[in-house]
Amino acid sequence: MIKKILVLGSLAVLGVGCKSPQPVAQESSKSEKKKSDLKKYSEVITSEAKTDEGLFTTHFVDDKLYFEIPVDLFEKDMLLVSRIAGVPSGFGGGYVNAGSKVNEQVVRWVKRNGNIDMKVISFENQSDEDSPIYKSVQANNFFPILFSSKIETWSEDSTSVVIDASALFEDEVEAINGISSGLRKRYKVKKLDKSRSYIESANAYPENIEIKHVMTYEAETPPERDQAGTISMLLNQSMILLPDDKMQPRLADYRVGWFTIDKYDYDSDELKADDYEIIRRWKLVPKDIEAYKRGELVEPVEPIVYYLDPATPEKWRPYFKQGIEDWNVAFEEAGFKNAIIAKDPPSKEEDPEFSPEDVRYSVVRYVASTTRNAVGPSVSDPRTGEIIESDIIWYHNHLRSYRNRFMIEAGAQNPNARTLNTPEAEIGEMMRMVIAHEVGHALGLPHNMKASSAYPTDSLRSAEFTQKYGLTPSIMDYARVNYVAQPGDEGVRYIRMMGPYDLYAINWGYRYLPEADSPQEEKATLDKWILEKAGDPVYEFGSGYGGADPQSQRESLGDDQVKASEYGIANLKKVVPNLVDWTSKDGFAYDELDEVYRELSYMWRGYLSHVVTNVGGVYETRKTSDQEGVVYEPVPAKIQKEAVEFLNDEAFSTPKWMLNQDILGRVEAPEAIDRIQSIQTGALEDLLEKDRLKRMITNEEVNPESAYSPVDMMADVRKGIFSELYNSRQTDAYRRNLQRSYVDIAAAYLKELDERENDEVLKSDIMALMRGEMEQLKADINRRKNRTNHQLTRFHWNDLLARIDSAILNEV
């Protein structure tokens, strides 16, 4: 096997050779001379220095931060991870939180005469050192210098150099900056205010250095107006030594979901650079390889260990630990026992050096924050994909999200959900599964939004089925609460759990293959495992991105989205009349009612969206060229037509069940009504979105006998939305609003022709489709507009005619 050599640093560094002793002796002489010109160590690192020893030693002297870097760490690969540790309220619209990663890059400290440079190193492009193309790859991937500082002094034994690192954290260095270019524009950031930017702390650990620093920016429109025109944020920079003993990478396969790292091999025999991906995973090696080969369960040499944050409330700790160790059943599928362990935080007596900042410890952090979220980030070696460390973050107010969702989606069926004080058993089980989901991310698994479509929708009403198989084959799906179950479905499971896909994916990514000496030698075995499961939807993967596959959607349940949404809305209709009773507390206002009612409307929007995706939808089944069948297949016309019928009934008709006067009399009624109108219009805009229409037009061209044509779809939607016109009835305010939206959406395609001369829509059949719809609707209104005695309805029809005429007259 030819060993691949990752491209090294600058040409200047590579040009330093060791072929004869003469140049080395001269360089040594020069270095000694320079050392004598420097200050003494005690003059730079004074007795007042605050020192912390670790990977390398940090010193605070007055306001300066010095790094004392051992010579043997020069040219060593280190991972520099930049995170936000503290942000002002509302920063990034609330979507940028403490713990958010800013950047992750490999750096090397390199000596250059009297300076120490920090270079950014890339391992994306590679070539064999003996390959003719090696020098070209090398020259075309020249590594930038992120930071440079002159040598202040040497240690007394000359084994390390001291540099002033203050500027790296006090100046504005774009590669570790906490404010993106988009947020700079949004908040009109002018510049960094160095007088209010400073280093807060520097801590050294055996394998990493942690620096916290405050950055203050002048801004015209900061997220909080009371900040006197500034944005201050706390950043955390982690510098982690990467292992010399590199893990063997595993090649990714898009049929099994994994977080990946891109690679390009310029020695490929293909007529191009061979681009491929490797998966991100922890390094698990059996203690007893021979026993492992015999099929026995074997402990790993180094298990994955998660510590709980000392701030974690005692009553939630058992659920967090269960959520972590739930993954052991999956690792047993891969041949390991006790592969992942959850531990309480050690006391000072047990481990005086314990710190969540220490890269040797992975921690489930419990954050006192109003953020309603949980995340499962990890830090990985870009050379091999090895996950080095992970901190799961649980934000306290995420409890609120699950309390509300449980009430909204299970309140009709489950008495335990009918309270703001969700019983501990239920909320604890939800927390357990959230932690398990986030640990799944930290193990390398992305969301698998396709998993839920593997189960028949009606099976989710079965106690026997759900207690055995859960709500979906993968905990990595978004399927939080069983909204399909109906009142009277006794004994069903309401909370998601780990499933067969999770066991399959962990085995595929983590099973140790001792006979394979390279990633390429593993591929035949990995492919075999995939083909053994091919055709079984339980083991399929879909990311949920792209929006075209109705079987791969977040929060969707079951294989029939129309039926599942019917069940879900039926439950919402039972919940709404009870919300006042379930959310009211004596002596308090109706804030909780307003919050839950608002979130219920968003659930309704989600159920509608699940159905819309079927129209013009395309099923994706990931395959490679050696497998039979196609990858993409249009949703059958019958299902698409049923989806439109559902939308006419549940999205485009006036939702009187949502207009509950007991609720609207206690919350902000106009806002609630506007929200309902917005959801209806949003569903219609989504249905008439250009990419969806283009897919339908293409499908009709390819499959004229079986396709649901866009003309038929538009006619079905028009007859549903304008049913009052075709049945000579008056319209209510909600329907008039929706009918205006229909005309405005269709007319917008025509009105903007003069601005879209080169647009793909202009050249597609969408323009003819919309023009035909406008002309048909105009003719129908003219024939029928006076068949009602309701004056406002007749005014409304005339208004629509004026809108249609305006759109047609403004065509180019």
Side-chain angles (χ1 to χ4, degrees), residues 353-637:
E353 294 186 352
F354 175 80
S355 170
E357 305 291 344
D358 191 332
V359 76
R360 294 175 299 169
Y361 304 101
S362 292
V363 180
V364 178
R365 302 196 183 206
Y366 196 100
V367 180
S369 167
T370 57
T371 298
R372 292 166 62 172
N373 198 10
V375 294
S378 62
V379 173
S380 59
D381 185 341
R383 304 170 305 177
T384 63
E386 178 184 353
I387 296 174
I388 298 169
E389 181 265 352
S390 158
D391 285 336
I392 309 299
I393 302 176
W394 170 278
Y395 297 97
H396 177 75
N397 258 27
H398 207 31
L399 289 165
R400 189 173 196 151
S401 299
Y402 279 83
R403 177 202 70 176
N404 293 356
R405 182 177 286 273
F406 191 47
M407 175 183 287
I408 293 166
E409 295 194 302
Q413 318 94 291
N414 189 335
N416 290 333
R418 299 166 188 169
T419 174
L420 291 173
N421 297 311
T422 310
E424 183 178 326
E426 279 79 8
I427 200 71
E429 179 71 0
M430 291 181 226
M431 294 177 76
R432 171 186 176 182
M433 295 306 162
V434 174
I435 293 298
H437 177 95
E438 301 306 338
V439 170
H441 285 319
L443 296 176
L445 302 181
H447 291 131
N448 181 5
M449 300 304 186
K450 198 175 185 69
S452 56
S453 64
Y455 291 165
T457 300
D458 279 323
S459 294
L460 302 180
R461 299 185 59 186
S462 164
E464 181 180 1
F465 184 91
T466 55
Q467 294 297 346
K468 182 176 181 180
Y469 298 108
L471 312 187
T472 165
S474 176
I475 200 166
M476 303 314 297
D477 202 337
Y478 273 178
R480 307 169 208 257
V481 177
N482 187 352
Y483 62 80
V484 168
Q486 298 295 290
D489 294 342
E490 299 293 336
V492 298
R493 182 175 178 86
Y494 285 94
I495 311 302
R496 59 183 168 174
M497 64 185 229
M498 200 166 294
Y501 173 86
D502 302 314
L503 278 60
Y504 160 71
I506 290 295
N507 177 72
W508 190 91
Y510 278 97
R511 179 164 285 277
Y512 189 72
L513 299 175
E515 307 300 333
D517 292 326
S518 71
Q520 291 74 21
E521 290 183 18
E522 292 184 338
K523 184 167 172 47
T525 300
L526 298 175
D527 287 349
K528 175 176 174 287
W529 292 342
I530 295 173
L531 293 175
E532 287 173 351
K533 304 295 186 183
D536 187 339
V538 166
Y539 301 103
E540 289 183 6
F541 172 74
S543 67
Y545 298 108
D549 185 353
Q551 303 286 42
S552 187
Q553 302 189 74
R554 58 195 303 161
E555 310 292 357
S556 178
L557 287 178
D559 63 347
D560 186 333
Q561 293 75 45
V562 173
K563 182 182 286 187
S565 291
E566 285 174 346
Y567 283 138
I569 291 175
N571 285 331
L572 296 186
K573 291 177 179 178
K574 296 180 178 69
V575 166
V576 166
N578 294 288
L579 283 184
V580 175
D581 290 337
W582 294 352
T583 61
S584 296
K585 294 188 292 185
D586 291 346
F588 290 86
Y590 292 101
D591 294 345
E592 300 277 14
L593 172 64
D594 188 26
E595 177 178 297
V596 174
Y597 178 68
R598 181 176 65 252
E599 292 184 24
L600 184 144
S601 69
Y602 297 151
M603 303 280 183
W604 174 48
R605 178 180 65 187
Y607 298 155
L608 301 181
S609 178
H610 294 161
V611 174
V612 169
T613 308
N614 282 275
V615 183
V618 179
Y619 298 140
E620 179 193 43
T621 304
R622 297 188 175 200
K623 297 179 180 180
T624 52
S625 58
D626 56 321
Q627 293 177 262
E628 293 184 359
V630 297
V631 174
Y632 300 104
E633 186 176 4
V635 174

Side-chain angles (χ1 to χ4, degrees), residues 799-811:
D799 174 64
L800 293 185
L801 288 173
R803 291 170 186 250
I804 294 170
D805 286 340
S806 176
I808 294 175
L809 287 173
N810 283 327
E811 290 181 42

Side-chain angles (χ1 to χ4, degrees), residues 165-273:
S166 305
L168 178 59
F169 308 107
E170 292 178 341
D171 292 347
E172 188 166 18
V173 179
E174 186 174 352
I176 61 174
N177 197 324
I179 300 185
S180 66
S181 58
L183 290 178
R184 279 179 170 274
K185 293 179 181 178
R186 178 173 177 177
Y187 298 129
K188 298 182 180 178
V189 173
K190 299 177 182 177
K191 64 178 181 178
L192 180 73
D193 184 346
K194 293 190 65 174
S195 68
R196 288 179 281 184
S197 300
Y198 58 91
I199 300 168
E200 182 178 272
S201 64
N203 294 294
Y205 303 98
E207 297 174 12
N208 63 299
I209 303 295
E210 300 293 323
I211 310 295
K212 283 188 169 66
H213 57 116
V214 173
M215 304 292 277
T216 299
Y217 299 88
E218 295 180 8
E220 290 185 15
T221 57
E224 290 292 325
R225 289 290 180 180
D226 61 355
Q227 290 184 322
T230 62
I231 297 173
S232 289
M233 60 197 316
L234 180 65
L235 293 176
N236 187 93
Q237 309 293 343
S238 302
M239 195 171 301
I240 304 162
L241 181 65
L242 294 175
D244 288 331
D245 183 17
K246 297 177 186 176
M247 180 186 74
Q248 179 169 289
R250 179 156 292 180
L251 298 175
D253 190 305
Y254 90 135
R255 294 169 292 181
V256 187
W258 282 86
F259 290 129
T260 62
I261 297 171
D262 293 334
K263 296 285 184 180
Y264 295 89
D265 182 3
Y266 283 87
D267 291 332
S268 170
D269 291 332
E270 301 289 335
L271 300 180
K272 63 179 180 63

Side-chain angles (χ1 to χ4, degrees), residues 663-677:
I663 295 175
L664 296 181
R666 290 171 168 83
V667 301
E668 191 66 34
E671 180 183 325
I673 291 171
D674 288 345
R675 189 182 309 119
I676 290 170
Q677 293 176 334

Side-chain angles (χ1 to χ4, degrees), residues 92-133:
Y95 293 100
V96 180
N97 301 303
S100 298
K101 188 186 297 184
V102 173
N103 201 357
E104 188 174 294
Q105 52 202 322
V106 177
V107 297
R108 288 180 189 154
W109 294 100
V110 178
K111 183 177 179 295
R112 175 175 54 86
N113 298 323
N115 294 274
I116 302 298
D117 297 336
M118 179 198 283
K119 292 190 172 184
V120 178
I121 310 300
S122 172
F123 296 94
E124 188 174 57
N125 302 303
Q126 63 182 37
S127 175
D128 187 84
E129 190 175 26
D130 298 323
S131 170
I133 203 173

Side-chain angles (χ1 to χ4, degrees), residues 29 41 63 85 118 131 139 145 151 166-167 254 259 287 292 315 443 455 459-460 495 550 558 574 642 652 694 716 750:
S29 176
Y41 183 86
D63 293 330
M118 179 198 283
S131 170
I145 297 173
I151 297 173
S166 305
Y254 90 135
F259 290 129
K287 282 183 178 178
Y292 189 86
K315 71 175 181 177
L443 296 176
Y455 291 165
S459 294
L460 302 180
I495 311 302
K574 296 180 178 69
E642 288 174 354
F652 304 143
K694 285 167 60 181
D716 289 342
L750 306 181

